[in-house]
């Protein structure tokens, strides 16, 4: 099937500015987000398609290539020297969405959105967000975590009804027992009728004659609960998991809210993460750098050894293949980059000082003059 035009996908004109692109994409992404359309393949495709269009059009360089050469321009080795763009899989798309909208997208997607889409009946309980800090080791191996949640639970005395046990209820005067009210709003585009849960009875259709003493009529108490979550290997800060039905109690028979677990990364004593690669710095003594050595290297599972050849310069980066973080939702894993740094001794004995003096009297190989090659090389190795 021919690829659809990116502007057409987002429903915008070819002259749309950055802000309209962002808004258009957000609208599509919220509508087709897999969390709102579980098991819906067509929605998933639309979500991926919209994300791909957004990723290209928000980037002025890529957009220009696309404007000039179309989809062909964005394929590998195409015009403009742009490196191949193979399209998105779902996890890329979810990540891209979280990256740009994770901070303020939650209300729309999970809370406001879901209660808005259920116009009648009691509202869903509130969603709760918790941050879960994980070490790089936990991220590399995948882990099951038990998390404590502070939430609102049904009051034990009135089973969440808010009414004193044995007391009666009467029809709500505001909605006449309907549980919902209609609001008419007039706008430039015409008249809209909104159906909302009744503000007086919260959608129940009835009001309480005598309030429960324990909860003062609210039907809820503060409680604590624990949930278990299985974290797949390869997650990154900002990824999230939804635990359905573990959030706040839903009033008047509404479904309970969800718990949204947002992944955070704990700083590691040895490693810095970069994508799915990890980077560490290892000290090397003068003699090890000069003569070569086998040194011990920490990795995310067990220690390993690295052969450093003789004549290794300070700052050289070695790569340990497949010792990084596993890719999320696909095979393979990143690499570990080890930067060796020659360590200069500071407390020398008389004898050691003597030996260094002797060494310095030799007319050996002299270091080259100042240059900028080191940073260039590091940049190349790290692909920055
Ligand atoms: Zn109660
Ligand atoms: Zn009412």
């Amino acid at each position: 099937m021919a690829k659809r035009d990116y502007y057409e996908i987002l429903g915008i004109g070819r002259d749309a500015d950055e802000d309209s692109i962002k808004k258009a994409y957000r609208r599509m992404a919220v509508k087709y987000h897999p969390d709102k359309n579980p098991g819906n393949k067509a929605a998933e495709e639309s979500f991926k398609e919209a994300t791909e269009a957004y990723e290209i059009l928000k980037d002025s360089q890529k957009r220009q290539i696309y404007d000039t050469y179309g989809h062909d321009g964005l394929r590998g080795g195409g015009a403009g020297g742009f490196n191949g763009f193979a399209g998105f899989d779902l996890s890329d798309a979810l990540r891209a969405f979280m990256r740009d909208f994770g901070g303020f997208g939650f209300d729309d997607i999970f809370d406001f959105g879901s209660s808005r889409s259920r116009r009648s009946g009691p509202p869903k309980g509130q969603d709760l967000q918790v941050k879960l800090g994980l070490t790089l080791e936990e991220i590399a191996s995948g882990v099951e975590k038990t998390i404590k949640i502070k939430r609102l639970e049904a009051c034990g005395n009135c089973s969440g009804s808010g009414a004193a046990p044995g007391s009666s209820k009467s029809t709500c005067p505001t909605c006449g027992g309907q549980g919902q009210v209609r609001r008419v709003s007039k706008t430039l585009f015409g008249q809209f009728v909104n159906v909302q849960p009744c503000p007086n009875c919260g959608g129940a259709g009835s009001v309480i004659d005598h309030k429960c003493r324990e909860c003062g009529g609210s039907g809820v108490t503060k409680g604590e609960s624990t949930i278990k979550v299985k974290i797949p290997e390869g997650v990154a800060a900002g990824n999230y998991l939804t635990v359905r039905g573990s959030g706040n109690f839903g009033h008047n028979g509404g479904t309970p809210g969800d718990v949204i677990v947002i992944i955070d990364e704990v700083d590691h004593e040895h490693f810095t993460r970069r994508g799915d690669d990890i980077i560490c710095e290892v000290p090397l003594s003068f003699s090890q750098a000069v003569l070569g050595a086998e040194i011990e290297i920490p990795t995310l599972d067990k220690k390993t050894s690295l052969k450093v050849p003789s004549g290794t310069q300070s700052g050289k980066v070695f790569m340990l293949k497949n010792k990084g973080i596993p890719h999320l939702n696909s095979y393979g894993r990143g690499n570990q980059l080890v930067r060796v740094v020659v360590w200069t001794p500071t407390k020398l004995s008389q004898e050691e000082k003597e030996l260094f003096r002797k060494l310095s009297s030799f007319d050996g190989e002299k270091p080259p003059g100042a240059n900028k090659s080191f940073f260039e090389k590091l940049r190349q190795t790290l692909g920055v």
Side-chain angles (χ1 to χ4, degrees), residues 171-181 197-207:
T171 306
C172 169
T174 306
C175 61
Q178 294 293 308
Q180 45 183 238
V181 286
C198 168
N200 187 42
C201 62
S206 56
V207 285

Side-chain angles (χ1 to χ4, degrees), residues 27 57 114 135 176 208 226 264 305 315 380:
R27 205 164 45 232
L57 297 185
S114 50
T135 63
I208 299 157
T226 53
D264 202 14
S305 62
Q380 280 165 14

Side-chain angles (χ1 to χ4, degrees), residues 155 157-158 162 212 214-215 219:
C155 165
N157 189 46
C158 62
C212 164
E214 294 285 318
C215 61

Side-chain angles (χ1 to χ4, degrees), residues 343-361:
W343 180 78
T344 308
T346 50
K347 287 174 191 147
L348 293 176
S349 66
Q350 267 319 91
E351 197 188 346
E352 286 167 321
K353 274 188 189 163
E354 246 348 281
L355 284 169
F356 272 108
R357 275 195 201 104
K358 242 183 217 169
L359 268 178
S360 67
S361 68

